[in-house]
Amino acid sequence: MIRFLLLFSRQGKLRLQKWFTPLTDREKKKVIRDMTMLVLPRPPRSSNFVQWRDLKIVYKRYASLYFCAGLEQHDNELLALEVLHRYVELLDKYFGNVCELDIIFNFEKAYFILDEFLMGGEILETSKLAVGATMEEADTLQETMEEYMSKPAY
Amino acid sequence: CVLHLPLQEMIRAIRSARTQCEERGVIQRECAAIRAQFRQADNGGRSHNLAKLLYVHMLGYPAHFGQMECVRMIASPRYSEKRVGYLGAMMLLDEKQDASLLITNSIKNDLSHSNQYVQSLALCTLACMGSAEMCRDLAPEIDRLLRASNSYIKKKAALCAVHIVRKVHDLGELFAPAARSLLAEKNHGVLHGAVVLITELCERNPETLERFRKTVPDLVQIMKGLVISGYSPEHDVAGISDPFLQVRILRLLRILGRNNEAASDAMNDLLAQVATNTDSTKTVGNAVLYETVLTVLDIKSESGLRVLAVNILGRFLLNNDRNIRYIAMTSLQRIVGTDHNAVQRHRGTIVDCLKDQDASVKRRALELSLALVSATNIRSMMKELLLFLSSCPLELRAQAASGIFNAAERYAPSQRWHIDTILHVLTTAGGDVRDETVPNLIQLITNTSELHCYTVHKLYRALLSDISQQSLVQVACWCIGEYGDLLLRGECQETEPVQVTEDDVLDALETVLQSHMSAPATRGFALTATMKLSTRITDNVDRIRSIVSIYGSCIDVELQQRAVEYNALFKKYDHMRAAVLERMPVIEKNSPGHTNGESTREAVKEVQPAKVKQAETLLPQQPASQVCDLLDLLGGSEEPLQPNPAVGSTLPVLPVSTSSTAGGDLLDLLGGLEPTPLTPAPTVTVYEKGGVTLTLSSEKQSDSGLTVTLTACNSTDSDISSFTLQAAVPKSVQLHMKAPSGDSLPARGAAKVTQMVALSNPNKVNLKMRIRISYTSQGSAFQDTVQVDSFPEH
């Protein structure tokens, strides 16, 4: 499983943090610090994989953002690169030519999209179209009058 | 007046703050406003408010006062509020917080909500931060959703179940039936979730794994469908149909096929198909190939398929993409023990990766290269490894140095080569070697008596050029002390002749003594070496006397003590000086004082004073009282004492008196140092048929290493030709057969054939070896097999 997914800028400013295991605030801060220190200084044409503690770190830079995931030993690193790429594609489709500012000003949407793609550290949906369709419907739900729910049916 | 900004305006305001202080000011104002809003009644802006707090939280500011608001929002009937509430719960709450319990009820209700998007929020949150209690509580509900809902909910329920099983292992049993039936679904999201769930169940419970083996044909079918199917726009990634699902299925197949012939057979064709047909021009194809290779190598696959898999890794090694080279090496590392020869074929490429710019790739290449060193390639490999050592990143130097030493020890083609190699490492990376390198090297040098002259010359030259590498300087000082006479003689077979005067040598040692770069231990070595030279030089003994006398008032207590004692050796005990400072005897290999690792360190520290005891037993002419004085005198020093001067450097005969056994532990350490004749290794006859006899002897090399020597003899009246031996050992044992001495056995035992086999048994399994004997005699071919179940230990 993926243990965590972090998005941070080239200055090390955190733009998104998703944790798939329970950690204290202090532990989270330590991981974030370690990841930025591990990834940011790496030269441009390095491999995208680094061993850190007992995890495999897979990272990829997209424009001004670093996407960084911590994997367990039996996870497939090459596939993890595809996972990061897929997330970027989903963001791109939703925001239209996504850039860092989109993720800053609409961070909650970035989380909602992520939650339709990954869950519990595993891939939830493998179809781009399906995730896109879900986001549209959920957004519509949020905006229309239907958001005033009648009492739930059991 | 309280400022109230919508979310995006707040973000803008924070970002435009020019200093950290200004930012804090904005944040403080905003948090106050947010808190005020929380206290107010429902006003339609609650979700924006909470979202603002979550943004502030992401910047690193405390936001715990928003926890209760999350709980309230989750309970709201409005979807927009639920959405942000649940997001807030996932960001601000975790199972350790008390507030998380408060949302259990909301989650429970929302799991059965009429709207799937509300259900989805609950499922997502439960899978993200559900505690063990919440999981236990809600597991039956999740199971229900696994069976009776739409695809959208089923796939979420499946991953939720995975989380539950991770938190509460016993609940795995609950989900097994539903998981099984989900494999029949067509929806890829559901299938993927089902495969992940089944994988989790099988990894946790061996009985469950047994039951799920029956699904192998189904999984193979699904996989075939993906691989063969035409273009499916919804799932296509660069020509591969749903690579994510393919990889998960391959991983599940790996778990099901492991250690099981039938299951492995059932998936063999499919794996071959995927391995051959997957397009490897893009990363995504390689991701699938990678997983396939891992599966093939882990199950009981056919040898042809195995070869195919290793070849794929070989191709990966040549790929331009650094990532691909990296994972190729990690995979090859895993199989270097079991498929050694296959990996050896790619040795050239692996060694080239030592020169890669990327630190991760370099590390992998180093580990793999070390694993591939063998008797046949030691010279060329060592060239590459030493080259690597001279330019490798700092964090890899200790590992490289230690790997090189191990390889040198195992496969050194000659002693001179071995010494040269160690010296090379000490010159290049002396600061990164382990402590026991110094005594190990000293032992090696002592035992290579024919190279004493060469070694001392080489070390002297090294000392002249650089005295910063402590381990090198220590060994050099020791050698100069021991073999200074050879240095002064000037000529040496193996190196160019050079004129070295007594003053030159003493200058060198004094430089070390006085240098601020020298560690205290190093200075100790230098002082002792200087003292030893007093019996090896003729003209400058007075200079030594004065050096020793000066250091008698040195601030360093250790040096002072030595100097005082050496002074005494000049004065009161001058008659014993020659005996005391004589040449060291050859140290027996594999004695208790000379194994690798921890024991060596202790042994060396003890060995020096223990030599004192040796003197006690080896100088029987000395009256008892004087011997005791000797002990007092040299109590803590590193002074190596010498055997009976009349004997010189050959092994003297020890009068093994009772006094030698007194002294307890120290002498036990000395056990191997006592020069006893080497007992021959015990041999057993393992095969005797048709006049051909095969005997076996073994010698322990290290904790997990054993060298076996097979000797064949022919007692018939006709010559035997094409005599070959092949050996097989248990899976985790590494085996290297060295070249046999020959392949013909003349009649009537006129000559023998010997062959050595190096075994490495790191897992300490029960060691067995099956040997196949083949030969030709009188025109006919013979073949036989014998199994050896026990090995005589030396």
Side-chain angles (χ1 to χ4, degrees):
Chain A
M1 65 178 275
I2 300 172
R3 293 274 188 93
F4 56 81
L5 176 65
L6 304 174
L7 267 65
F8 47 84
S9 72
R10 297 216 281 144
Q11 290 77 39
K13 282 204 111 87
L14 196 63
R15 298 302 179 206
L16 186 143
Q17 51 176 325
K18 188 75 187 180
W19 306 92
F20 295 108
T21 50
L23 291 177
T24 64
D25 269 345
R26 203 152 147 238
E27 286 165 335
K28 287 181 189 172
K29 286 202 160 78
K30 175 88 177 40
V31 174
I32 293 166
R33 231 191 350 262
D34 283 356
M35 286 304 105
T36 51
M37 294 211 303
L38 192 64
V39 166
L40 290 175
R42 278 171 76 85
R45 273 188 297 278
S46 311
S47 75
N48 297 88
F49 310 139
V50 189
Q51 189 69 25
W52 175 81
R53 297 195 191 167
D54 61 330
L55 298 181
K56 301 199 266 202
I57 306 300
V58 176
Y59 73 93
K60 188 111 194 256
R61 187 174 144 205
Y62 288 89
S64 58
L65 272 181
Y66 282 90
F67 287 65
C68 176
L71 310 176
E72 292 177 339
Q73 283 310 313
H74 48 218
D75 288 321
N76 185 322
E77 298 100 309
L78 293 178
L79 196 73
L81 280 176
E82 292 299 314
V83 169
L84 295 179
H85 192 75
R86 173 57 66 90
Y87 184 44
V88 174
E89 286 180 320
L90 293 170
L91 291 169
D92 195 57
K93 185 79 198 296
Y94 184 82
F95 288 109
N97 278 332
V98 68
C99 64
E100 190 182 344
L101 286 176
D102 291 320
I103 297 174
I104 293 170
F105 282 94
N106 302 281
F107 69 94
E108 77 281 20
K109 296 286 165 67
Y111 277 100
F112 296 150
I113 295 169
L114 185 62
D115 287 340
E116 292 300 324
F117 175 43
L118 301 177
M119 195 164 116
E122 306 284 355
I123 298 166
L124 170 64
E125 178 54 67
T126 61
S127 155
K128 266 191 281 198
L129 292 172
V131 176
T134 309
M135 281 304 293
E136 257 188 67
E137 288 190 35
D139 284 346
T140 314
L141 187 59
Q142 186 165 325
E143 283 156 22
T144 66
M145 291 299 283
E146 268 127 89
E147 67 171 15
Y148 289 102
M149 295 294 165
S150 49
K151 63 180 191 301
Y154 291 95
Chain B
C1 165
V2 169
L3 285 174
H4 174 160
L5 300 168
L7 171 63
Q8 301 203 339
E9 277 183 46
M10 180 198 79
I11 295 176
R12 221 166 275 135
I14 292 172
R15 283 168 61 77
S16 55
R18 277 157 302 168
T19 62
Q20 183 73 358
C21 191
E22 214 179 304
E23 181 183 284
R24 266 199 299 268
V26 176
I27 302 247
Q28 260 182 327
R29 267 197 330 270
E30 280 305 316
C31 284
I34 292 167
R35 250 189 289 245
Q37 283 290 306
F38 285 168
R39 285 193 290 268
Q40 279 181 17
D42 176 8
N43 58 8
R46 284 168 69 191
S47 46
H48 294 291
N49 214 29
L50 184 55
K52 279 203 249 175
L53 182 61
L54 296 180
Y55 183 82
V56 162
H57 169 76
M58 191 151 59
L59 291 179
Y61 294 92
H64 43 266
F65 61 89
Q67 287 174 5
M68 282 315 291
E69 183 69 5
C70 294
V71 174
R72 274 193 290 270
M73 299 268 278
I74 286 171
S76 157
R78 287 199 190 111
Y79 177 68
S80 56
E81 290 179 356
K82 272 192 201 287
R83 216 181 182 192
V84 179
Y86 273 116
L87 177 64
M90 286 191 276
M91 286 174 78
L92 301 180
L93 296 174
D94 58 48
E95 57 178 45
K96 302 196 182 100
Q97 315 274 2
D98 293 331
S100 65
L101 283 172
L102 299 172
I103 64 173
T104 312
N105 217 41
S106 292
I107 292 182
K108 197 183 214 149
N109 290 338
D110 285 339
L111 280 176
S112 3
H113 202 278
S114 55
N115 187 298
Q116 66 176 10
Y117 295 107
V118 175
Q119 284 178 296
S120 148
L121 291 174
L123 285 164
C124 183
T125 307
L126 181 59
C128 178
M129 36 98 44
S131 64
E133 285 139 69
M134 283 164 78
C135 289
R136 250 187 276 265
D137 205 0
L138 298 168
E141 186 58 25
I142 302 301
D143 187 51
R144 191 182 70 77
L145 291 173
L146 271 180
R147 300 163 191 280
S149 57
N150 60 34
S151 306
Y152 180 70
I153 294 300
K154 271 189 192 164
K155 76 184 184 198
K156 298 211 173 197
L159 290 184
C160 205
V162 170
H163 173 83
I164 291 175
V165 171
R166 284 177 182 158
K167 277 274 181 248
V168 186
H169 305 329
D170 323 327
L171 287 172
E173 273 308 297
L174 172 65
F175 296 120
R180 177 85 181 76
S181 40
L182 284 177
L183 277 183
E185 299 266 339
K186 295 288 168 237
N187 178 295
H188 282 219
V190 177
L191 265 179
H192 187 279
V195 172
V196 175
L197 179 55
I198 295 172
T199 307
E200 191 69 33
L201 297 176
C202 291
E203 275 175 336
R204 293 202 181 269
N205 190 325
E207 282 165 21
T208 314
L209 196 157
E210 282 293 327
R211 294 207 306 269
F212 272 103
R213 280 224 180 87
K214 300 192 209 83
T215 65
V216 169
D218 299 322
L219 292 167
V220 168
Q221 257 327 97
I222 298 170
M223 193 66 190
K224 273 208 175 100
L226 292 171
V227 173
I228 300 174
S229 74
Y231 176 74
S232 152
E234 199 182 345
H235 299 290
D236 182 270
V237 180
I240 315 269
S241 186
D242 207 338
F244 304 107
L245 180 57
Q246 286 197 31
V247 164
R248 282 319 296 240
I249 293 178
L250 286 165
R251 190 159 129 190
L252 179 54
L253 287 174
R254 178 153 83 241
I255 293 167
L256 296 175
R258 211 180 264 153
N259 294 323
N260 188 291
E261 297 266 359
S264 299
D265 279 342
M267 58 182 80
N268 200 77
D269 288 347
L270 168 73
L271 293 172
Q273 193 170 16
V274 177
T276 338
N277 292 342
T278 306
D279 175 17
S280 57
T281 50
K282 298 252 173 60
T283 307
V284 63
N286 287 325
V288 174
L289 279 174
Y290 175 38
E291 199 73 31
T292 310
V293 165
L294 290 179
T295 300
V296 167
L297 294 175
D298 213 7
I299 63 171
K300 291 193 172 300
S301 43
E302 269 176 19
S303 61
L305 188 56
R306 238 183 143 76
V307 170
L308 182 57
V310 179
N311 286 346
I312 290 176
L313 290 180
R315 273 200 337 259
F316 277 0
L317 276 179
L318 299 166
N319 197 303
N320 282 331
D321 186 336
R322 209 165 249 148
N323 294 330
I324 310 272
R325 293 207 297 276
Y326 178 93
I327 55 113
M329 283 195 283
T330 49
S331 312
L332 287 169
Q333 183 83 36
R334 265 188 264 199
I335 58 164
V336 73
T338 47
D339 298 72
H340 191 92
N341 291 330
V343 181
Q344 277 284 6
R345 261 180 255 129
H346 303 286
R347 194 177 73 243
T349 324
I350 292 167
V351 167
D352 280 341
C353 289
L354 283 171
K355 304 190 190 95
D356 198 301
Q357 301 288 5
D358 185 278
S360 312
V361 171
K362 271 212 235 278
R363 178 187 294 272
R364 294 292 172 208
L366 174 64
E367 284 166 8
L368 203 46
S369 299
L370 289 172
L372 289 175
V373 176
S374 74
T376 43
N377 60 36
I378 180 70
R379 283 187 197 269
S380 54
M381 283 299 276
M382 194 51 80
K383 252 202 269 254
E384 298 287 347
L385 288 169
L386 288 174
L387 196 60
F388 174 72
L389 186 66
S390 56
S391 60
C392 79
L394 286 171
E395 63 268 18
L396 290 179
R397 287 176 88 183
Q399 190 181 356
S402 131
I404 287 172
F405 282 152
N406 286 339
E409 194 171 314
R410 280 176 84 177
Y411 302 112
S414 75
Q415 292 189 300
R416 173 174 160 173
W417 183 96
H418 193 174
I419 289 175
D420 279 345
T421 304
I422 299 183
L423 291 182
H424 194 134
V425 174
L426 286 181
T427 327
T428 335
D432 296 295
V433 300
R434 282 204 294 268
D435 293 344
E436 61 257 27
T437 311
V438 170
N440 282 349
L441 179 55
I442 288 176
Q443 182 209 336
L444 181 64
I445 292 171
T446 318
N447 293 354
T448 320
S449 33
E450 63 273 20
L451 287 177
H452 285 166
C453 191
Y454 166 77
T455 312
V456 71
H457 269 92
K458 202 149 176 188
L459 280 167
Y460 174 70
R461 260 197 284 274
L463 198 63
L464 289 181
S465 60
D466 177 14
I467 58 168
S468 61
Q469 301 278 35
Q470 298 306 296
S471 15
L472 186 62
V473 172
Q474 286 173 9
V475 177
C477 286
W478 189 91
C479 270
I480 292 172
E482 270 302 291
Y483 312 121
D485 48 319
L486 300 176
L487 185 61
L488 293 166
R489 262 214 291 266
E491 11 133 312
C492 177
Q493 268 190 334
E494 313 249 358
T495 66
E496 281 169 32
V498 62
Q499 267 301 91
V500 181
T501 66
E502 293 183 1
D503 273 320
D504 291 334
V505 177
L506 289 173
D507 284 343
L509 289 176
E510 262 201 290
T511 313
V512 173
L513 262 174
Q514 290 162 1
S515 165
H516 63 278
M517 285 193 282
S518 298
T522 310
R523 296 171 82 196
F525 271 91
L527 187 62
T528 304
T530 309
M531 186 60 193
K532 282 198 229 174
L533 285 176
S534 71
T535 54
R536 290 160 176 73
I537 64 176
T538 47
D539 301 331
N540 263 320
V541 183
D542 280 337
R543 181 173 171 185
I544 296 179
R545 254 188 261 264
S546 71
I547 293 175
V548 160
S549 136
I550 290 171
Y551 277 87
S553 40
C554 175
I555 278 186
D556 182 320
V557 173
E558 170 72 29
L559 278 181
Q560 192 192 107
Q561 181 176 3
R562 285 180 199 221
V564 165
E565 289 167 359
Y566 296 159
N567 236 329
L569 202 54
F570 266 124
K571 301 201 160 79
K572 191 168 163 202
Y573 297 99
D574 198 46
H575 57 279
M576 294 173 67
R577 186 160 51 89
V580 165
L581 300 177
E582 254 271 348
R583 196 75 100 223
M584 280 277 301
V586 171
I587 304 166
E588 188 186 289
K589 224 183 161 176
N590 292 330
S591 55
H594 291 280
T595 50
N596 297 327
E598 282 303 309
S599 53
T600 310
R601 223 184 308 229
E602 295 156 9
V604 168
K605 286 195 177 55
E606 296 304 312
V607 133
Q608 307 300 356
K611 286 186 173 67
V612 171
K613 289 269 191 237
Q614 186 181 32
E616 176 193 358
T617 58
L618 293 173
L619 299 171
Q621 299 97 321
Q622 306 301 327
S625 57
Q626 275 196 307
V627 168
C628 290
D629 282 340
L630 200 62
L631 281 178
D632 292 336
L633 180 64
L634 296 168
S637 83
E638 277 195 0
E639 186 57 23
L641 296 180
Q642 306 307 319
N644 196 310
V647 180
S649 62
T650 57
L651 302 177
V653 173
L654 237 201
V656 182
S657 54
T658 48
S659 60
S660 72
T661 52
D665 291 349
L666 280 182
L667 275 179
D668 289 343
L669 261 181
L670 245 198
L673 281 175
E674 288 173 5
T676 51
L678 291 170
T679 54
T683 55
V684 284
T685 306
V686 297
Y687 178 86
E688 199 165 35
K689 216 192 260 181
V692 173
T693 316
L694 188 66
T695 60
L696 180 150
S697 71
S698 59
E699 196 175 65
K700 222 164 147 52
Q701 296 299 342
S702 68
D703 204 24
S704 62
L706 190 69
T707 307
V708 169
T709 309
L710 299 164
T711 313
C713 184
N714 169 17
S715 62
T716 67
D717 283 348
S718 12
D719 294 338
I720 281 176
S721 60
S722 309
F723 183 86
T724 47
L725 292 170
Q726 290 166 290
V729 287
K731 203 169 180 190
S732 64
V733 179
Q734 216 173 319
L735 171 142
H736 297 290
M737 291 197 87
K738 318 224 175 186
S741 62
D743 72 344
S744 51
L745 284 171
R748 287 177 287 274
K752 299 189 180 178
V753 159
T754 51
Q755 183 160 20
M756 286 178 61
V757 184
L759 294 175
S760 169
N761 185 8
N763 293 355
K764 305 231 199 313
V765 302
N766 209 3
L767 199 53
K768 294 177 198 285
M769 188 188 311
R770 192 169 291 166
I771 306 174
R772 178 185 290 172
I773 304 161
S774 345
Y775 61 90
T776 307
S777 172
Q778 291 178 308
S780 333
F782 288 84
Q783 211 180 70
D784 209 342
T785 320
V786 65
Q787 177 149 326
V788 180
D789 289 317
S790 65
F791 291 77
E793 304 257 321
H794 178 78

